[in-house]
Amino acid sequence: MSKVPIVTLTTDFGIDDSYVGTMKGVILDIAPQARLVDVTHQIARQDVRQTAYVLYSAYRFFPRGAVHLVVVDPGVGSRRRPIAVQCPCGTFVGPDNGVFSYVMGEESVQEVIELADIRYRLPTVSRTFHGRDIFAPAAAHLAAGVPIESFGPPVKNPVSLPIPLLNVGSRTIRGEVLDSDHFGNVITSIGRLSWEGNELSLQPAFQLKGEEQARFPADELLITVGGMEIEGLLETYADVERGTLLALVGSSSHLEIAIREGNAAERLDVQAGDAVELSW
Amino acid sequence: MSKVPIVTLTTDFGIDDSYVGTMKGVILDIAPQARLVDVTHQIARQDVRQTAYVLYSAYRFFPRGAVHLVVVDPGVGSRRRPIAVQCPCGTFVGPDNGVFSYVMGEESVQEVIELADIRYRLPTVSRTFHGRDIFAPAAAHLAAGVPIESFGPPVKNPVSLPIPLLNVGSRTIRGEVLDSDHFGNVITSIGRLSWEGNELSLQPAFQLKGEEQARFPADELLITVGGMEIEGLLETYADVERGTLLALVGSSSHLEIAIREGNAAERLDVQAGDAVELSW
Amino acid sequence: MSKVPIVTLTTDFGIDDSYVGTMKGVILDIAPQARLVDVTHQIARQDVRQTAYVLYSAYRFFPRGAVHLVVVDPGVGSRRRPIAVQCPCGTFVGPDNGVFSYVMGEESVQEVIELADIRYRLPTVSRTFHGRDIFAPAAAHLAAGVPIESFGPPVKNPVSLPIPLLNVGSRTIRGEVLDSDHFGNVITSIGRLSWEGNELSLQPAFQLKGEEQARFPADELLITVGGMEIEGLLETYADVERGTLLALVGSSSHLEIAIREGNAAERLDVQAGDAVELSW
């Protein structure tokens, strides 16, 4: 636990209503010292897969011991369990619907428990806003130092999303589109990549067992995505003219497709799940 | 006053400009320990009624002693008074135009004063941005512990909006649409509802004097809104198929109309003020 | 340095992705006590000029010693330098591309240094996200008290934008549109204005050397902008009917064109750089 307890928030609530503010009120009432940091509230409505990716891209940059509150919860009011997941990096709180899958692929999970103990909920629990009534109080109590075991029994088989495609062959890597960002950069499952001189080294993301590490030359690469081909992998946007499509290692160490000062997601017209191939 | 003073912010400023950030700078300059929490800055432009509802839905979840700063202020620069309202739950700061009406219907108001003392304003007060020059400094000084009496004289007759319609008959309750949210859920004035077994109990919201408490069976209800009829009141979204219109008790304990994984406000094409009827 | 170190954030990242949250995680990992305040993340994509204006309009309202982190960085990965600028009012951190120009015109700059020392960066620096890997860590270390000299060598000639037009004649002042806000108010370079009875006094903004102070009567003014003429300069929106175009002294003490409860930027169809003239 960091001395200044941090609670991050990731939801699909948008910012038009009072829902996010209300959750923050609940947290500060229980844990007045907690530091609240928004990851984003603009997850596409009820998109569990995008949530899993966004969390995966962000969590490693927060202090150890942070509590990550995630409320993207299409099954609110059904039998889906509210859970908390503890890793050395911090604790994750949210619905058991797969939102933590990609993080759990990366981290050594220490404990997964069900948020069952009503002492750590609001006195009245609505059927439609567990973010406020169950998840925010749990995150706050965790931030205030309540040990995870106090919240409820262990969960043996948390729900898991299919791990994104990442297939490493001898001269080909096949992956898929994960997401696109505000700038129109298209982020793929082909990662984690690092530069070693003029070569690239791939250490499979999501701890895909059985996938081998690969190593290949940047300038002989051919990237195929959305029916287009891109030759070579460059270091940064500034290596091309404005409006040019390029492939590069993005900020999360995954293969990204971008257009300098343009929108690659629109130009390529791709969506999460679409195929990406890299060959040499 | 909570030990960690909280200041919440509710405005129609949007998030594109530096206005909200500027108000926060002003607050932290006066009250460096204040914890700032955004309720929303996306109130429809100059919509006093929506502001009143959003505040009503959120304030009760913040710690006692919180200061709630509200700047939706079409009359800035006119003779409308800047005021502060003290309740046991906290203190409200903003223009005297009705934004606090619904909260004042719920709470036992202790004091309403005019923010007249220039010691608690910025040295130069613009004619167009009292949020920064009058309201933010007042909220900060209140958060820093200045007693409300120091700010100015009592206000006898603060501006009040009409209380939303809520008419309880022997087998019918008539109300109106209050707002719709990011998910397209339609929130009505029919509240506050609570489940008692298979029955619902209504304790009139906004402390509507003369309205009686009602009690009625959930499964025999007929809800009429936007020219459509909905039979029965369900517990949660998961009780119906995707795309189905349903009525339920929303997170603020008011009757809400929703579509599972869909947008009820668009389907019904209703606006604040439109009639809603519940009969049994 | 204020006792509670403040770090403000101004970017063009939008709020859909985890980029802003990630930067905040990096800052809090280095400076757990830092107070984070968003100025805006909605700067038009890669618009250095708009960034310079937004920062100019906001910085003076933050406590002395605040660290202002600015990431609008079309040249990321190129040779553009990462810099920090120290003034008595605080310290500014961001790319050397002109974003600090308007502030530097107003303030007495004490030091400009290049953020060269790798001890104050993340261990791995990507080629595409210096906001996270270079600027956020630098802002955090500055907030934590590391002296600016520690970060790198002095920068002699930081990049500067052209100062906005402000030409003061004997009976005419010529300026240009700087920006328009969420409400559609059009903000011009004609500032800083202050009322002195029924007259206005202009003290040239951006410390434009050689420009004289001017003084002129409010009610005899003619303002020309976007092909329209406005007679007289009023004190506030409430001085006209709804839907009426008016000129006034805006909240940043610059000449603004507004429509009461309407959108002047749309009606006038003007953009940054368009001519504005004031004569008497």
Side-chain angles (χ1 to χ4, degrees):
Chain A
M1 184 66 50
S2 62
K3 288 198 190 112
V4 180
I6 289 171
V7 178
T8 79
L9 297 96
T10 304
T11 78
D12 62 351
F13 293 171
I15 60 167
D16 290 359
D17 307 307
S18 61
Y19 299 139
V20 171
T22 300
M23 291 204 304
K24 292 178 178 175
V26 169
I27 294 169
L28 292 174
D29 202 29
I30 294 166
Q33 304 301 333
R35 303 292 304 277
L36 307 176
V37 181
D38 298 307
V39 173
T40 182
H41 301 290
Q42 303 291 122
I43 295 287
R45 185 176 169 170
Q46 304 184 332
D47 189 333
V48 170
R49 183 189 160 122
Q50 188 184 52
T51 312
Y53 167 69
V54 166
L55 204 59
Y56 162 86
S57 74
Y59 82 97
R60 71 192 82 223
F61 293 97
F62 284 89
R64 283 174 78 87
V67 177
H68 301 283
L69 170 58
V70 181
V71 191
V72 176
D73 192 14
V76 63
S78 72
R79 287 174 178 276
R80 72 94 190 85
R81 293 169 294 197
I83 61 171
V85 178
Q86 190 158 57
C87 304
C89 64
T91 308
F92 298 81
V93 173
D96 180 27
N97 61 13
V99 287
F100 306 127
S101 300
Y102 299 175
V103 169
M104 292 173 78
E106 293 279 300
E107 293 294 313
S108 51
V109 174
Q110 295 164 313
E111 247 171 309
V112 184
I113 62 90
E114 184 175 349
L115 299 168
D117 193 325
I118 62 167
R119 289 178 300 167
Y120 303 115
R121 299 176 169 191
L122 290 197
T124 304
V125 173
S126 71
R127 296 293 305 268
T128 57
F129 194 5
H130 288 185
R132 180 192 67 195
D133 304 333
I134 297 177
F135 298 122
H141 285 294
L142 283 162
V146 175
I148 193 169
E149 298 79 12
S150 308
F151 288 82
V155 169
K156 299 286 183 218
N157 50 349
V159 171
S160 192
L161 298 181
I163 290 296
L165 178 69
L166 180 57
N167 197 309
V168 183
S170 63
R171 297 188 70 82
T172 303
I173 298 175
R174 285 186 293 122
E176 62 181 312
V177 170
L178 287 181
D179 201 10
S180 61
D181 72 11
H182 172 70
F183 295 99
N185 299 324
V186 174
I187 301 141
T188 78
S189 62
I190 299 177
R192 309 179 58 91
L193 295 166
S194 53
W195 285 96
E196 301 192 359
N198 287 325
E199 290 199 321
L200 286 155
S201 161
L202 181 136
Q203 179 68 48
F206 313 112
Q207 291 196 345
L208 282 160
K209 316 299 187 228
E211 296 294 346
E212 289 168 57
Q213 210 175 329
R215 205 179 161 91
F216 38 87
D219 53 1
E220 293 173 23
L221 291 175
L222 186 71
I223 295 101
T224 313
V225 56
M228 298 192 73
E229 294 190 337
I230 302 165
E231 290 180 23
L233 198 148
L234 301 178
E235 289 203 53
T236 190
Y237 314 113
D239 291 341
V240 298
E241 299 294 306
R242 291 183 190 189
T244 304
L245 197 66
L246 75 156
L248 74 175
V249 179
S251 59
S252 58
S253 304
H254 281 243
L255 177 71
E256 283 187 24
I257 316 299
I259 291 174
R260 183 174 173 189
E261 300 180 30
N263 189 310
E266 281 180 13
R267 171 100 64 97
L268 295 173
D269 193 21
V270 288
Q271 297 190 328
D274 286 356
V276 183
E277 194 176 282
L278 184 158
S279 56
W280 64 94
Chain B
M1 183 65 52
S2 61
K3 288 198 188 113
V4 180
I6 289 171
V7 179
T8 79
L9 297 97
T10 304
T11 77
D12 63 349
F13 292 172
I15 60 167
D16 290 359
D17 307 307
S18 61
Y19 299 139
V20 171
T22 300
M23 289 204 304
K24 292 179 178 175
V26 168
I27 294 169
L28 292 174
D29 202 29
I30 294 166
Q33 304 301 334
R35 304 291 304 276
L36 307 176
V37 181
D38 298 307
V39 173
T40 181
H41 301 291
Q42 303 291 122
I43 296 288
R45 184 176 170 169
Q46 303 183 333
D47 190 333
V48 170
R49 183 188 159 122
Q50 188 184 52
T51 312
Y53 168 70
V54 166
L55 204 58
Y56 162 86
S57 73
Y59 82 97
R60 70 192 82 222
F61 294 97
F62 284 89
R64 283 174 77 87
V67 177
H68 300 283
L69 170 58
V70 181
V71 192
V72 176
D73 193 14
V76 63
S78 73
R79 287 174 178 276
R80 72 92 190 87
R81 293 169 295 195
I83 62 172
V85 178
Q86 191 159 57
C87 305
C89 64
T91 310
F92 297 80
V93 173
D96 180 27
N97 61 12
V99 287
F100 306 126
S101 301
Y102 298 175
V103 169
M104 292 173 78
E106 293 279 300
E107 294 293 315
S108 52
V109 174
Q110 296 164 313
E111 246 170 310
V112 184
I113 62 89
E114 184 175 348
L115 299 168
D117 192 323
I118 61 167
R119 288 177 301 167
Y120 303 115
R121 299 176 169 192
L122 289 197
T124 305
V125 173
S126 72
R127 295 294 303 270
T128 57
F129 194 5
H130 288 184
R132 179 190 68 196
D133 304 334
I134 296 177
F135 298 123
H141 285 293
L142 284 162
V146 175
I148 193 169
E149 299 78 14
S150 307
F151 288 81
V155 169
K156 300 284 182 219
N157 50 350
V159 171
S160 191
L161 298 181
I163 289 295
L165 178 68
L166 179 57
N167 197 309
V168 183
S170 64
R171 297 188 70 81
T172 303
I173 298 175
R174 285 186 294 121
E176 62 181 314
V177 171
L178 286 180
D179 201 11
S180 61
D181 72 11
H182 172 70
F183 295 98
N185 299 324
V186 174
I187 300 139
T188 77
S189 62
I190 299 177
R192 308 175 62 89
L193 295 166
S194 53
W195 285 96
E196 300 191 0
N198 287 325
E199 292 198 320
L200 285 155
S201 161
L202 182 135
Q203 179 68 48
F206 314 113
Q207 293 195 342
L208 282 161
K209 316 299 187 229
E211 295 294 347
E212 289 167 57
Q213 211 176 327
R215 205 179 161 91
F216 38 87
D219 53 2
E220 293 173 24
L221 292 174
L222 185 71
I223 295 101
T224 313
V225 56
M228 298 192 73
E229 293 191 338
I230 302 166
E231 290 180 22
L233 198 147
L234 301 178
E235 288 204 55
T236 190
Y237 312 114
D239 291 340
V240 298
E241 299 293 306
R242 291 185 191 188
T244 304
L245 198 67
L246 75 157
L248 73 176
V249 179
S251 59
S252 58
S253 303
H254 281 243
L255 176 71
E256 285 187 24
I257 316 299
I259 292 174
R260 184 174 173 191
E261 301 181 30
N263 189 309
E266 281 180 12
R267 172 100 64 97
L268 295 173
D269 193 23
V270 288
Q271 296 189 328
D274 286 357
V276 183
E277 193 176 282
L278 186 157
S279 55
W280 63 96
Chain C
M1 184 64 52
S2 62
K3 285 191 192 123
V4 180
I6 289 170
V7 178
T8 79
L9 297 95
T10 304
T11 77
D12 62 351
F13 292 172
I15 60 167
D16 291 358
D17 307 308
S18 62
Y19 299 140
V20 171
T22 300
M23 291 205 303
K24 292 179 179 175
V26 168
I27 294 169
L28 292 175
D29 201 30
I30 294 167
Q33 305 301 334
R35 303 292 304 277
L36 307 176
V37 182
D38 298 307
V39 174
T40 182
H41 301 290
Q42 303 291 120
I43 295 286
R45 186 177 169 168
Q46 303 184 333
D47 190 332
V48 170
R49 183 188 160 123
Q50 188 185 51
T51 312
Y53 167 69
V54 166
L55 203 59
Y56 162 87
S57 73
Y59 82 97
R60 72 191 80 222
F61 293 98
F62 284 89
R64 284 175 76 88
V67 177
H68 301 282
L69 170 57
V70 182
V71 191
V72 176
D73 192 14
V76 62
S78 72
R79 288 174 176 276
R80 72 94 191 86
R81 294 170 294 196
I83 62 171
V85 178
Q86 191 159 59
C87 304
C89 63
T91 309
F92 297 81
V93 172
D96 180 28
N97 62 12
V99 286
F100 306 126
S101 300
Y102 298 175
V103 169
M104 292 173 77
E106 292 280 299
E107 294 293 312
S108 52
V109 175
Q110 295 164 314
E111 246 170 310
V112 184
I113 62 90
E114 184 175 347
L115 299 168
D117 192 324
I118 61 166
R119 289 178 300 168
Y120 303 116
R121 298 176 170 191
L122 290 197
T124 305
V125 173
S126 71
R127 296 293 304 269
T128 58
F129 194 5
H130 288 184
R132 179 190 68 195
D133 304 334
I134 297 178
F135 298 122
H141 285 293
L142 283 162
V146 175
I148 193 169
E149 298 79 12
S150 308
F151 288 81
V155 168
K156 299 286 184 218
N157 49 350
V159 170
S160 192
L161 298 180
I163 289 296
L165 178 69
L166 179 57
N167 197 310
V168 182
S170 63
R171 297 189 69 82
T172 303
I173 298 175
R174 286 187 291 121
E176 62 181 311
V177 171
L178 287 181
D179 201 10
S180 61
D181 71 12
H182 172 70
F183 296 98
N185 299 324
V186 173
I187 301 140
T188 78
S189 62
I190 298 177
R192 307 177 61 88
L193 295 166
S194 52
W195 286 95
E196 302 192 358
N198 287 324
E199 292 199 320
L200 286 154
S201 160
L202 181 137
Q203 180 68 47
F206 314 112
Q207 291 196 345
L208 283 160
K209 316 299 187 233
E211 295 294 345
E212 288 167 59
Q213 210 176 328
R215 206 180 160 91
F216 39 87
D219 54 0
E220 294 174 24
L221 290 175
L222 186 71
I223 295 102
T224 313
V225 56
M228 297 193 73
E229 293 191 338
I230 301 166
E231 289 181 24
L233 197 147
L234 301 178
E235 288 204 55
T236 190
Y237 312 114
D239 290 342
V240 297
E241 299 294 306
R242 291 184 190 189
T244 304
L245 198 67
L246 75 157
L248 72 176
V249 179
S251 59
S252 59
S253 303
H254 281 242
L255 176 70
E256 285 187 23
I257 316 299
I259 291 175
R260 184 174 173 189
E261 300 180 31
N263 189 310
E266 282 180 12
R267 171 100 64 96
L268 294 172
D269 193 21
V270 288
Q271 297 189 328
D274 285 357
V276 183
E277 194 176 282
L278 185 158
S279 56
W280 64 94

